[in-house]
Amino acid sequence: MKKKDNVDLLLIEEMREEEPSWTDYDMDETSVKVQLTDTVFDMLLNDTISSLRRIETRLT
């Protein structure tokens, strides 16, 4: 049992050392923000283009 206890302790210690990398969401957060920004910008750009085309059609 002693050897098993040591292995368990070692594994627990390794998990504690690695845990911060599992719960670090900074890169994910940045990625989502960039995707959202790109999507909103694309929507605004498409809406502006559509509006300008409607205006152009009315003027001609």
Side-chain angles (χ1 to χ4, degrees):
M1 273 317 255
K2 182 75 171 161
K3 188 172 184 175
K4 184 178 180 189
D5 289 341
N6 285 336
V7 170
D8 286 346
L9 290 174
L10 179 65
L11 289 172
I12 289 169
E13 182 62 31
E14 284 182 3
M15 285 178 58
R16 285 186 182 142
E17 289 173 5
E18 293 176 0
E19 186 178 9
S21 67
W22 298 345
T23 57
D24 182 16
Y25 299 114
D26 287 343
M27 291 299 295
D28 293 335
E29 181 182 357
T30 301
S31 176
V32 168
K33 285 179 178 179
V34 167
Q35 288 175 1
L36 183 61
T37 301
D38 285 346
T39 301
V40 169
F41 183 74
D42 284 345
M43 290 173 65
L44 286 170
L45 188 59
N46 287 332
D47 186 55
T48 302
I49 289 171
S50 177
S51 294
L52 287 172
R53 285 184 177 155
R54 281 195 308 267
I55 292 170
E56 182 183 30
T57 302
R58 289 181 188 163
L59 292 176
T60 57

